[in-house]
Amino acid sequence: QVQLVESGGGLVQPGGSLRLSCAASGMTLSNTSLGWYRQAPGNQRESVAFISSGGTTNYANSVKGRFTISRDNAKNTVFLQMNNLRPEDTAVYYCNRPYPRFDWGQGTQVTVSS
């Protein structure tokens, strides 16, 4: 069974940066696409960024130009570099495979506030 463990969240001021990590165990993920998702209070979970097994990336319009997704297949880990953070980026961030989904991890809280 695949376990996903997200980390790297925290409290940051607007304009600041954070780097999230998602470590997977139980399966080698080098041949699968991976994505980052987020869920703000009262909102549905939404997709943020994806990276294919070959390294092709795509992003939600709201984060394009500010966030960068990357992966380290040797470490079975996917990253999300978040720059120029805004208060509306505040959410719990999760990683997962687009389809079929694994069980969700616990996520990592990102709070952008002055």
Side-chain angles (χ1 to χ4, degrees):
Q1 185 173 354
V2 174
Q3 272 197 313
L4 302 168
V5 179
E6 300 91 348
S7 62
L11 172 64
V12 63
Q13 292 187 340
S17 298
L18 285 172
R19 188 186 193 220
L20 307 184
S21 299
C22 172
S25 61
M27 177 180 172
T28 299
L29 300 182
S30 59
N31 293 326
T32 189
S33 294
L34 295 167
W36 282 95
Y37 305 79
R38 67 186 181 187
Q39 186 168 21
N43 290 358
Q44 289 189 335
R45 191 171 290 161
E46 61 177 1
S47 57
V48 174
F50 293 99
I51 185 166
S52 72
S53 58
T56 301
T57 59
N58 59 76
Y59 299 91
N61 286 336
S62 58
V63 308
K64 205 171 290 185
R66 301 188 297 122
F67 291 10
T68 303
I69 187 171
S70 60
R71 63 193 299 163
D72 184 337
N73 289 332
K75 296 181 178 179
N76 230 24
T77 301
V78 62
F79 304 98
L80 187 68
Q81 177 67 43
M82 305 187 296
N83 298 329
N84 192 19
L85 282 159
R86 303 168 180 169
E88 54 264 38
D89 295 318
T90 294
V92 179
Y93 283 71
Y94 305 86
C95 68
N96 211 323
R97 182 171 62 180
Y99 183 84
R101 298 265 172 82
F102 302 118
D103 289 341
W104 293 97
Q106 83 288 350
T108 185
Q109 175 71 49
V110 172
T111 303
V112 185
S113 175
S114 55

